[in-house]
Amino acid sequence: MAFSTFISYSTRDLPLANQTKVLLEQSGSHVFLAEDSVLPGSGLSAEIISAIKNCDLFLLLWSRNSQSSEWVPKEIGIAKGADKPIL
């Protein structure tokens, strides 16, 4: 089973999130990036919550954009609640 990584990011930082995803996938990690599976503005779907709870690593791309994001702090809270390693 591949190592699973959830990337938390602001949509304003999508180019960086996509670059990070490519690098992680090249090293064999399965990567969840909400942009690939969740419609913008749809909030924290059950799919996102499940991906966070089932990941091996919660990778936070911290920036001014993510700091002001409505969703990133919620994702962090779910990861902390699920006792996931946060990088």
Side-chain angles (χ1 to χ4, degrees), residues 37-52:
S37 57
V38 179
L39 295 174
S42 64
L44 286 179
S45 71
E47 187 174 358
I48 289 176
I49 294 168
S50 176
I52 293 170

Side-chain angles (χ1 to χ4, degrees), residues 19-79:
Q19 289 175 336
T20 303
K21 178 184 178 189
V22 168
L23 290 173
L24 288 168
E25 287 177 337
Q26 287 174 347
S27 68
S29 182
H30 173 280
V31 180
F32 183 92
L33 194 68
E35 184 71 21
D36 297 338
S37 57
V38 179
L39 295 174
S42 64
L44 286 179
S45 71
E47 187 174 358
I48 289 176
I49 294 168
S50 176
I52 293 170
K53 289 182 176 181
N54 293 308
C55 73
D56 297 305
L57 175 67
F58 182 91
L59 180 59
L60 173 59
L61 299 182
W62 192 245
S63 67
R64 288 184 182 178
N65 293 325
S66 59
Q67 186 176 8
S68 63
S69 168
E70 179 181 353
W71 305 112
V72 169
K74 293 177 183 182
E75 293 172 352
I76 294 168
I78 294 166

